[in-house]
Amino acid sequence: MNLPDLNEARKRTDKEVLYLENDNNIKNMFDGKKYFLKTYGCQMNVHDSEEIRKYLELLGFNETEVLEESDIVVLNTCAIRENAHDKVFGYLGRCKHLKKEKPELIIAIGGCMSQEENVVNEIKSKHPYVDIVFGTHNINELPKLIVNAKGSLDIEVYSNEGNVFENVLYSRDSKIKAWVNIMYGCDKFCTYCIVPYTRGKQRSRKIDKILEEVVELKNAGYKEITLLGQNVNAYGKDLNDNSSFSKLLEETAKIGIERIRFVTSHPWDFTDEMIEVIAKYDNIMPYIHLPLQSGSSKILKLMGRRYTKQDYLDLYNKIKNKVPNCAITTDIIVGFPNETEEDFNETLDVVNACKYDGAYTFIYSPREGTPASKIKDSVDLKTKEERLYKLNELVNKYSLEANKNYEGKNVKVLVEGINEKDSNKTFGYTETMKLVNISGGKDYIGQIVDVKITDAKSFSLDGEIVELR
Ligand code: SAH
Ligand code: SF4
Ligand code: F3S
């Protein structure tokens, strides 16, 4: 294992790095010890885990994928729905068991659940064997918390902090594609959503800092970057310096990195300039995740989404007209409090109109502290489950239809690695974000190649490399 690169750390002066740097014993402190890192939730957490991993490695830990082998367990948690909570508390049970056999095991909990007061109280009262609770605003303090872990519960969580971190260190999951965080938090306060409470208000990074990071990634050989935020279209609105997402996207495209993606777009802030920039640059991928949430204007209003069914359809059509090959996926919630059959049918109506390439569908889950959780709900769970089932049938029909259009066609695929299920295959993604399982292709990992699609399934395509003559 490599020792922490202190020159790199010195160059990048963030306070946690200085802390690591100032204590000569720290780098050896956990040498030979192992860490187990489990990530729940969205891409934001996946990217935060790349930061957490870097700190663990700077402290000398090696990664293990076997919980029982670990000396420290870090759970990076998600709070978006109740079942996310249940999963984490279920997993904590396993950790507790392990700690009985291995009392020196350090258990750390971070991520969005740590930002919830009721969760922290539950940990205090029911899970005192946990060593560290750290929040989404102070991941940078994790090294200090680990070094100082005393075998008793230590909670360091800040609410609504306004920090924007620069020069963050990451141990990235891939050498081919990378996340680039463009903003923290979210200001939208959709009435069902906990994210503005767990991640704080929107804070955009300065455009030149983001572009610097993209240039670094390009120079390091990365082929693809994804600009990351809860609501990327609102990028820059908090900076008051005329920054906007369309400007950032255009400047990023000019750097010339081969593939640029972005998540997530909110229909509310989606401007015509953005659509024009997406259409203009070949290295901005024709793929947009455009959450609908509901097709009923009445429910959308109650959700605080600030667009109507018609606004959404107009935007959808505008995008499809300007970027004809654009793939569009969505998120949909069924069973928002008091959603009627007619409301639900409006959602099906939009799905029928948009024929999405794919959709993530959820049953509404009340989150403590959000406005929607106070609404008395008359719809029973069975009805909600039936609606979800019906919606999924429709969504899957259109995903398969969209994928079938690819059969027999040649598409550009960035080959990312060996297929987990079949080592004779590789996998990668099309420009439109379709997963392709490729026969062979090992020599092409990290490259964008032409692939002929031989078969289409609901959630993936099969293909073979088109050999250049
Ligand atoms: N910022 C992104 C979404 C982040 S959460 C956006 O606005 O699009 C991802 C998805 O989880 C949301 O789009 C929504 O569909 C779903 N979700 C959020 N809160 C939920 C809740 N309380 N119950 C069920 N689904 C929820
Ligand atoms: Fe949640 Fe709405 Fe913000 Fe998305 S835009 S994170 S759904 S509050
Ligand atoms: Fe979950 Fe937090 Fe993301 S609540 S969905 S991990 S922002």
Side-chain angles (χ1 to χ4, degrees), residues 23-259:
D23 189 331
N24 289 329
N25 297 318
I26 276 185
K27 69 177 179 184
N28 298 318
M29 209 165 160
F30 296 95
D31 232 8
K33 302 273 185 197
K34 291 185 173 154
Y35 74 91
F36 179 89
L37 172 59
K38 196 167 169 65
T39 308
Y40 300 84
C42 66
Q43 294 97 333
M44 208 62 76
N45 261 20
V46 170
H47 189 37
D48 284 350
S49 279
E50 294 183 323
E51 182 181 353
I52 293 171
R53 175 179 299 127
K54 182 70 183 185
Y55 299 145
L56 292 167
E57 289 172 357
L58 279 169
L59 290 171
F61 289 101
N62 273 327
E63 183 157 25
T64 173
E65 286 177 5
V66 183
L67 172 70
E68 287 69 23
E69 281 181 0
S70 63
D71 302 289
I72 180 167
V73 183
V74 182
L75 303 182
N76 191 11
T77 64
C78 169
I80 201 84
R81 285 168 290 272
E82 196 55 38
N83 59 3
H85 273 208
D86 297 346
K87 276 192 215 155
V88 171
F89 280 119
Y91 207 82
L92 257 186
R94 274 183 72 181
C95 300
K96 178 184 182 183
H97 194 72
L98 184 61
K99 193 153 181 164
K100 276 198 190 132
E101 292 162 19
K102 212 177 183 182
E104 69 286 1
L105 176 74
I106 301 173
I107 302 174
I109 300 184
C112 288
M113 273 172 68
S114 310
Q115 295 291 147
E116 291 182 284
E117 213 178 304
N118 54 336
V119 168
V120 173
N121 289 336
E122 186 169 345
I123 292 171
K124 272 191 209 156
S125 59
K126 295 195 188 140
H127 308 275
Y129 54 90
V130 169
D131 296 273
I132 297 166
V133 180
F134 64 105
T136 57
H137 302 291
N138 60 326
I139 299 172
N140 59 319
E141 288 186 305
L142 185 60
K144 185 178 75 187
L145 291 165
I146 294 172
V147 169
N148 293 334
K150 298 177 285 292
S152 58
L153 184 56
D154 192 358
I155 300 168
E156 282 289 339
V157 177
Y158 307 127
S159 60
N160 291 323
E161 281 277 299
N163 287 342
V164 172
F165 290 101
E166 290 302 341
N167 301 326
V168 179
L169 299 169
Y170 298 106
S171 175
R172 295 186 188 264
D173 292 337
S174 162
K175 292 193 161 32
I176 300 166
K177 59 179 193 178
W179 304 108
V180 176
N181 189 24
I182 64 167
M183 63 216 283
Y184 296 85
C186 180
D187 274 349
K188 287 286 183 274
F189 287 95
C190 302
T191 58
Y192 52 81
C193 184
I194 198 153
V195 173
Y197 308 92
T198 64
R199 296 258 166 192
K201 64 175 190 287
Q202 175 175 319
R203 291 100 66 204
S204 301
R205 288 177 66 198
K206 289 262 191 291
I207 195 160
D208 51 338
K209 293 285 179 191
I210 298 169
L211 298 176
E212 257 171 42
E213 187 177 341
V214 176
V215 169
E216 264 179 42
L217 289 164
K218 180 173 181 259
N219 292 342
Y222 280 86
K223 294 286 189 316
E224 177 176 307
I225 56 133
T226 302
L227 304 175
L228 188 60
Q230 284 302 344
N231 176 12
V232 291
N233 325 24
Y235 167 80
K237 283 188 159 185
D238 52 307
L239 289 176
N240 299 319
D241 65 354
N242 289 325
S243 304
S244 66
F245 187 61
S246 55
K247 195 167 148 198
L248 171 66
L249 201 53
E250 179 150 34
E251 292 306 314
T252 308
K254 285 185 193 159
I255 291 171
I257 198 151
E258 271 155 287
R259 285 183 162 196

Side-chain angles (χ1 to χ4, degrees), residues 9-26:
R10 220 165 264 127
K11 202 169 71 190
R12 315 232 190 196
T13 51
D14 237 0
K15 57 184 173 187
E16 80 287 353
V17 174
L18 285 174
Y19 182 83
L20 286 175
E21 204 183 358
N22 289 339
D23 189 331
N24 289 329
N25 297 318
I26 276 185

Side-chain angles (χ1 to χ4, degrees), residues 309-423:
K309 175 187 182 188
Q310 197 53 49
D311 293 337
Y312 185 94
L313 290 172
D314 290 348
L315 174 63
Y316 176 92
N317 289 325
K318 208 158 30 173
I319 295 170
K320 282 282 188 182
N321 284 334
K322 288 258 168 69
V323 195
N325 57 340
C326 193
I328 298 186
T329 57
T330 199
D331 289 347
I332 298 170
I333 298 175
V334 298
F336 188 81
N338 308 318
E339 179 191 63
T340 63
E341 208 56 35
E342 292 80 66
D343 293 322
F344 175 63
N345 284 335
E346 300 258 29
T347 298
L348 297 180
D349 200 33
V350 177
V351 173
N352 280 318
C354 296
K355 301 183 171 50
Y356 291 107
D357 287 85
Y360 297 98
T361 58
F362 312 100
I363 289 184
Y364 166 75
S365 171
R367 309 312 297 130
E368 202 175 302
T370 60
S373 70
K374 297 185 185 75
I375 307 174
K376 204 173 160 321
D377 190 3
S378 60
V379 188
D380 59 285
L381 183 62
K382 190 164 167 285
T383 308
K384 295 185 184 200
E385 282 169 350
E386 282 166 4
R387 286 181 190 162
L388 182 70
Y389 184 82
K390 202 166 167 187
L391 175 64
N392 284 343
E393 296 255 285
L394 193 64
V395 158
N396 292 347
K397 181 185 111 171
Y398 287 121
S399 302
L400 183 61
E401 244 173 52
N403 285 355
K404 283 279 174 204
N405 283 329
Y406 284 73
E407 276 181 356
K409 293 202 175 121
N410 287 358
V411 287
K412 298 232 173 286
V413 175
L414 171 55
V415 186
E416 289 186 19
I418 305 287
N419 194 299
E420 264 185 28
K421 290 197 188 119
D422 181 349
S423 60

